[in-house]
Amino acid sequence: MTFGIYKGVRTALAAVAAAAGLGFIAPSAALAGDLEYGKPGEPVNLVIGYQPYYTESWSGVIMRGKKLYEKYLPKGSTVEFSVGLQGAVIVNAMLAGKQHIGYVGDMPGIVSTTKQDVADIRIIASVGLGTDACNVLLARPDAPKFASGKEGIKWLDGKRVAIPLGSCADRFAQEAFRKEGVKPEAVLNQNIEVITSGFRAGKLDAAVIWEPTASRLVQEGLAKRIASGATVNENDGAFLTMRADLIKQRPDIVKAWLNAELDAQLFLADPKNAMEVAAMATAQTTGFTEKMLWSSMYGQNPAESGGATTRLTLPFALTPDVMNLVTTAAKFLHSIKSINVDTLRADAVMPEFTQQILKERGLSAPVGKVMAQPDSAYKSK
């Protein structure tokens, strides 16, 4: 298999020297101004950016596959889903007024809220929180067998490691190296396609990437898993973002979409739905087998290689754990000059909508968890 689908797109989210940060359009781009969404209660036409190639944001996959929004949006509304191969692509489209709601990883989600001189974007919900969705450390197949993930991290001292710099994987890698006192010989800024080629050619010792590509590389025999964020207590996340003009004009749409999103997260958390979720992900992606995709969300990995019992926590609300991630990630992004502030503006994150919906539906955060399942739980058709 090749990774041609990523070519030219899955670039590093932000090199330290990138002036615009995370590959986003520069502030000099023409301001789109506020869009018009109609009056409350009227049909609305929405374009949703989502990432079926990032497992942590798969509530978007369920939203598209099951059309859960139809229950809540005004009759006559239309919804178009647009695949983004990286979060920055989605944010660029939202900044340009071409998309209105986005399912993005923690880094692009945070950066998007700092581009208000182009367009105002807010974080309104959490769609996932984990330790091994983005923070997956892979080594070449002939690497030694390690007794623990920390032992695997220490092996990287003096080795060549590839990481998409500026991404959630980068933040995890830097913390893992710091905590374990590791100094790789080289840290290479590479996209997923180049990383894949590097493993295939034997030019890499290790790489840090995200799911579902991590499961793909392992199942293709190109790499093996040796550690994750669970190894060093570092988490990762994904957010639901929305344009502020939509929030201001159509609070009814905000509530409608979030109610459907809550349904999607409840569906994702139910282990009985695992195969249906994997089937939906398969239908919405190319180049991955159903088993790879199932493994990326539900597969059970050994504890000694960073396997976590809980594959994904579904906070829905912007809980203290989620906000701690926002704070930590914002400081990291500021340190590599991807954003010009180390603390987000007060209204960048809007927790009130999810709090209200949870209260109305008699639920509390987190609304569910995706628990790891043994390989025997995978039932192909």
Side-chain angles (χ1 to χ4, degrees):
M1 292 184 182
T2 66
F3 275 69
I5 190 168
Y6 292 106
K7 192 171 184 179
V9 180
R10 183 64 90 174
T11 53
L13 292 183
V16 172
L22 286 170
F24 290 90
I25 57 179
S28 60
L31 291 174
D34 282 359
L35 305 178
E36 294 296 329
Y37 302 94
K39 298 178 181 179
E42 293 180 348
V44 67
N45 302 317
L46 297 174
V47 182
I48 314 300
Y50 83 121
Q51 296 185 80
Y53 296 95
Y54 182 41
T55 303
E56 199 154 24
S57 65
W58 272 7
S59 59
V61 168
I62 296 169
M63 288 283 275
R64 180 178 184 178
K66 297 191 74 65
K67 298 182 179 181
L68 298 173
Y69 50 84
E70 291 183 342
K71 177 181 177 181
Y72 300 100
L73 290 177
K75 297 299 182 184
S77 296
T78 65
V79 176
E80 175 188 346
F81 284 84
S82 179
V83 173
L85 295 181
Q86 69 180 83
V89 173
I90 293 171
V91 175
N92 277 340
M94 293 182 70
L95 291 171
K98 296 178 180 179
Q99 294 177 12
H100 313 113
I101 299 173
Y103 287 80
V104 296
D106 47 15
M107 297 305 197
I110 290 167
V111 172
S112 74
T113 69
T114 68
K115 304 296 181 181
Q116 63 266 38
D117 49 353
V118 180
D120 192 352
I121 297 176
R122 311 291 178 90
I123 294 171
I124 63 169
S126 167
V127 301
L129 195 65
T131 55
D132 64 349
C134 185
N135 304 340
V136 184
L137 177 55
L138 302 179
R140 63 180 194 251
D142 64 347
K145 180 176 176 58
F146 304 111
S148 68
K150 288 188 176 182
E151 185 178 308
I153 294 172
K154 290 181 183 297
W155 176 77
L156 299 179
D157 200 62
K159 302 295 193 303
R160 292 171 60 83
V161 186
I163 309 167
L165 296 185
S167 66
C168 48
D170 184 22
R171 182 176 63 84
F172 155 67
Q174 290 196 28
E175 278 302 298
F177 296 160
R178 183 187 65 82
K179 288 179 178 180
E180 299 306 315
V182 169
K183 293 184 178 181
E185 174 193 312
V187 174
L188 309 173
N189 181 11
Q190 295 185 350
N191 62 35
I192 286 181
E193 185 170 67
V194 175
I195 287 172
T196 302
S197 299
F199 274 130
R200 184 175 285 116
K203 295 180 179 179
L204 287 179
D205 294 310
V208 185
I209 57 172
W210 43 82
E211 293 286 14
T213 304
S215 290
R216 177 179 183 171
L217 290 175
V218 170
Q219 292 188 27
E220 288 184 336
L222 296 178
K224 68 179 183 180
R225 183 188 177 106
I226 62 172
S228 78
T231 305
V232 290
N233 195 31
E234 288 292 327
N235 61 3
D236 47 53
F239 298 129
L240 185 66
T241 58
M242 188 175 289
R243 283 182 58 101
D245 50 11
L246 175 58
I247 296 171
K248 180 180 179 181
Q249 296 176 38
R250 299 298 303 267
D252 60 324
I253 300 304
V254 179
K255 184 174 182 180
W257 194 267
L258 285 175
N259 266 298
E261 170 63 25
L262 178 53
D263 288 351
Q265 292 191 26
L266 293 171
F267 186 90
L268 183 60
D270 189 336
K272 297 192 301 293
N273 299 326
M275 289 308 305
E276 187 176 351
V277 171
M280 283 187 279
T282 305
Q284 296 176 40
T285 57
T286 60
F288 289 79
T289 67
E290 185 182 77
K291 179 64 180 295
M292 292 171 183
L293 295 167
W294 179 89
S295 297
S296 75
M297 175 63 80
Y298 299 99
Q300 187 175 59
N301 297 296
E304 59 268 23
S305 62
T309 302
T310 301
R311 292 303 310 268
L312 191 65
T313 297
L314 299 162
F316 181 66
L318 297 163
T319 62
D321 284 345
V322 174
M323 293 309 301
N324 286 338
L325 174 61
V326 171
T327 298
T328 300
K331 291 184 183 301
F332 169 77
L333 288 166
H334 181 256
S335 74
I336 64 170
K337 299 180 174 60
S338 284
I339 59 177
N340 59 8
V341 295
D342 63 359
T343 302
L344 299 187
R345 56 193 166 105
D347 57 359
V349 181
M350 303 183 72
E352 56 267 34
F353 300 109
T354 51
Q355 290 173 351
Q356 178 186 358
I357 288 171
L358 288 177
K359 182 178 180 180
E360 290 174 352
R361 293 180 58 168
L363 298 172
S364 60
V367 299
K369 294 182 178 182
V370 176
M371 307 305 294
Q373 301 180 24
D375 280 351
S376 59
Y378 175 76
K379 306 293 184 184
S380 60
K381 291 183 179 179

